[in-house]
Amino acid sequence: MRVIAGIDLGGTAVNYTIVDFDGRFLIEDLCEHPARSVEGPDVCLQQIDDGLAIAAARGGVELADIAVVGLDTPGPASATGVLSKKGSTNFVHPAWAGFDLPAGLSRKLGRPVTYLNDGNAGALWGHASIFGTGSGKTSISAIVGTGLGGGVIVNGHVVKGRDGFGGELGHVLIPYQDLPGLEGATPACNCGRIGDLESVCSLTAIRNLLLPHFLLRHPGHELGSLPVADAAKKVRGRAERGDVMCREIFRVQAHALGRFFDQMVNVFDPDALIVGGGVIEASAEFRDWFVSEIRAGMPTQRAEQADIPIHLMPNGDTAGARGAALDALRFAHAATFAN
Ligand SMILES: [Zn+2]
């Protein structure tokens, strides 16, 4: 049996999945191996190789059955997976600068390797989970985690862009000035922009902006007594349990996402909007409320677009590996047709 492996390479862990040529995933849960990225490419590529054998066993296949490998990583990297010469937070060892990851991994594994950045891989999985592969539909995925990632799938194809920066949704500016609850705040992003989506809608935004801003209005709130980085991680759990201030923090984030999605609706007229990431790893009640607040944050849509579906991305922690695998599967099918 020939299969495809999906490899999601992060700073600390490699996450694997296996998919067969009919698109069936053979590993349901998280399958991780330590990445050791900080030790540089030689050590890390060996780690990926070692972990792949473990993943093959988990998927019930032979290592030799793996025909093609799909890889995804955090950026910044080129559209083909050459890491930035300026380095990146997940690949700090100097030997990573300008390293061609897919080419290096292909040499190491002796197989073709396809590449997507992690946001685009997650978006491809979200898209496929709703529409299947090869549907020709258009979707926008926003993945709310430490930062805000995601991607744009147009007519079934990932928009990578000229230099691999297509789908950098977190750095799209949104009209934040009149977001209810955010009055007087200046949302600054690590990228230098003021008022982009990530600066209002991410765990980083809770820590840097929303929690300090709302604590001023809620003196005596118990999260005010904790270091802000620790307190920020508790906001979602408190919001789920009904804490008024924490719900307000998530309402602002949902409304920011609504403003952003409204722009995407007008640019792409997509078939679906998809939300993933830590923000939806919560109870059904909280998820439903969050989606309803996203919709409440969108300006009035024209009648034809008012019913645009907002979906939640399933299997969030394996989304990158699954999307990378589906990208490689498409490559494998195309290569088969070419022969
Ligand atoms: Zn930004």
Side-chain angles (χ1 to χ4, degrees), residues 13-185:
V14 197
N15 180 1
Y16 298 86
T17 197
I18 306 280
V19 68
D20 69 16
F21 269 59
D22 294 323
R24 280 188 296 265
F25 285 93
L26 306 181
I27 297 178
E28 202 47 46
D29 304 320
L30 203 57
C31 175
E32 280 193 329
H33 194 66
R36 296 175 65 180
S37 304
V38 292
E39 293 169 70
D42 290 345
V43 171
C44 184
L45 293 182
Q46 185 61 49
Q47 285 291 109
I48 294 174
D49 196 0
D50 295 345
L52 189 60
I54 298 168
R58 272 281 292 279
V61 299
E62 301 290 329
L63 197 53
D65 294 338
I66 297 171
V68 182
V69 168
L71 171 71
D72 79 284
T73 69
S78 76
T80 58
V82 179
L83 293 174
S84 171
K85 287 195 171 65
K86 296 172 185 165
S88 73
T89 51
N90 288 283
F91 301 101
V92 290
H93 190 284
W96 284 122
F99 188 79
D100 187 335
L101 249 175
L105 188 60
S106 182
R107 278 195 301 275
K108 181 76 181 171
L109 301 179
R111 294 172 177 81
V113 174
T114 63
Y115 178 80
L116 287 176
N117 75 37
D118 57 355
N120 286 340
L124 185 59
W125 162 244
H127 184 92
S129 73
I130 294 161
F131 298 118
T133 52
S135 69
K137 301 276 190 184
T138 293
S139 71
I140 313 295
S141 289
I143 302 170
V144 189
T146 305
L148 193 139
V152 176
I153 313 291
V154 173
N155 301 334
H157 295 283
V158 178
V159 177
K160 291 184 173 186
R162 180 166 64 105
D163 280 323
F165 294 107
E168 288 286 327
L169 309 185
H171 308 297
V172 175
L173 294 172
I174 58 165
Y176 71 88
Q177 292 86 347
D178 62 343
L179 277 175
L182 209 55
E183 295 85 358

Side-chain angles (χ1 to χ4, degrees), residues 170-171 189 191 193 196 198:
H171 308 297
C189 183
C191 74
R193 285 177 182 75
D196 64 16
E198 181 171 301

